[in-house]
Amino acid sequence: MSTLLTGIGELVTNDPERTGDGPDGRIGVVERAAVVVEGSRVAWIGPAADAPAADAVVDAGGRAVLPGFVDSHSHLVFAGDRAGEFAARMAGTAYAAGGIRTTVAATRAATDEQLLSGARRLVDEMLRQGTTTVEVKSGYGLTVRDEARSLAIARTLTEETTYLGAHVVPEGTTPEQYVALVTGPMLDAAVEHARWVDAFCERGAFDVDQARTVLLAGMERGLRGRLHANQLGPGPGVRLACELGLAAVDHCTYLEDADVDALRDSGTVATLLPGVEFSTRQPYPDARRLLDAGVTVALASDCNPGSSFTSSMPFCVALAVREMGMTPAEAVWAATAGGARALDRDDVGVLAVGRRADLVLLDAPSHVHLAYRPGVPLVAGVWQRGRPVLGATTLPAG
Ligand SMILES: [Zn+2]
């Protein structure tokens, strides 16, 4: 079964073989384009006038199509919400890492079914906004049982699961005791359900030596490393991530020149999470500085109930453009191909022959509208692994 998606006014491919000069050069635009999808993969891309025949046809009506968003950072397995804490913060209370403990208590008290239905609702919400690949972390269990079941639940929704036992030190234990648990019995229980290991390296959470211990223990068991760092202030976390050759280090809000140099030299992706700065009234990270230095930048939602309860990658793109010095093309690349890099994936985030057919149809003529029309639900159709999951209709060919 093949489908021809034709009448595409602007196709964003992110294909390195199609990139060029100018502000949109990086995203490899093809105008008046068509895509042929066969099974779960892209089988052909080019000018609509040259498109081959297919079993079914979809007419995009001159609208824009881009790769599905790759959201490389989220915390979807939890119970309860923290709207009251958000309201208090907007009334002047500062954000502190310890608020995580509120969600931990609610998560431990929830059933597996409650946790799964909450996470599935958010994954569906993401899909409706064009996110076709999402990473999901544990980190609201903080016991052997609750971390393992959080990851097992996440695994039913995505292959990109991250063990974040080292989210915060729970009450009733010392940091030393807790790191021993996270690198011992908790890791034993988590490892079969996880692809990644992560830690929250920040004042009030884990220091750099503890973060290194957690990451190395996970990596020894075959997990790949990623890290939360430099969110609330400057610190050594970003340099640790670069030194260990992690795929990504996330937040990067407070950076010194040595951090930027280390990111550029190591190739570790800097994942920026502007929903957090929006929701905590913190200063935004300086994406322009990173891009000008040659650092690879990704955008992700950090969807979580405490510091960023948005599931919307279009919202993150709009914030990145308005507040962080990115061009629309840079932000769209960071939210698609950049997210794929941050997950060490080459099958998503790029539209080219053989890649996964994850596509988003915008009810707009170009990708620029994602930032130009903030807050407007522009996602009109989504295909995931070649299957229409939102809005798309196929017409019989001919
Ligand atoms: Zn996070």
Side-chain angles (χ1 to χ4, degrees), residues 223-367:
L223 303 181
R224 309 236 18 224
R226 47 204 314 107
L227 186 64
H228 288 66
N230 299 52
Q231 173 189 351
L232 302 174
V238 166
R239 271 162 282 160
L240 172 67
C242 297
E243 174 202 319
L244 296 179
L246 306 190
V249 57
D250 299 15
H251 286 291
C252 297
T253 308
Y254 291 89
L255 297 181
E256 292 159 9
D257 288 345
D259 299 320
V260 178
D261 293 346
L263 286 164
R264 182 199 54 222
D265 295 344
S266 65
T268 295
V269 175
T271 303
L272 309 182
L273 310 167
V276 175
E277 282 74 32
F278 177 88
S279 300
T280 57
R281 283 206 183 129
Q282 297 284 311
Y284 287 92
D286 187 350
R288 188 75 263 143
R289 178 187 181 196
L290 291 165
L291 290 164
D292 289 347
V295 174
T296 301
V297 172
L299 288 170
S301 70
D302 197 8
C303 183
N304 79 83
S307 60
S308 179
F309 202 8
T310 182
S311 55
S312 172
M313 291 295 279
F315 175 64
C316 295
V317 166
L319 286 181
V321 171
R322 173 63 181 82
E323 304 288 348
M324 290 155 53
M326 298 179 86
T327 67
E330 286 167 340
V332 165
W333 190 94
T336 51
R341 291 269 187 97
L343 292 173
D344 202 18
R345 293 275 296 266
D346 59 13
D347 58 334
V348 296
V350 173
L351 294 178
V353 172
R355 307 294 178 107
R356 228 161 80 168
D358 291 346
L359 303 104
V360 170
L361 170 68
L362 296 183
D363 196 4
S366 93
H367 68 281

Side-chain angles (χ1 to χ4, degrees), residues 201-212:
C201 183
E202 199 77 45
R203 191 167 304 147
F206 296 87
D207 69 24
V208 68
D209 293 328
Q210 293 162 343
R212 181 197 306 271

Side-chain angles (χ1 to χ4, degrees), residues 1-6 35-38 51-59 383 386 388 393-398:
M1 169 73 187
S2 61
T3 302
L4 170 64
L5 176 57
T6 190
V35 176
V36 176
V37 173
E38 238 179 77
D55 301 325
V57 181
V58 177
D59 188 351
W383 287 259
T393 54
T394 51
L395 313 168

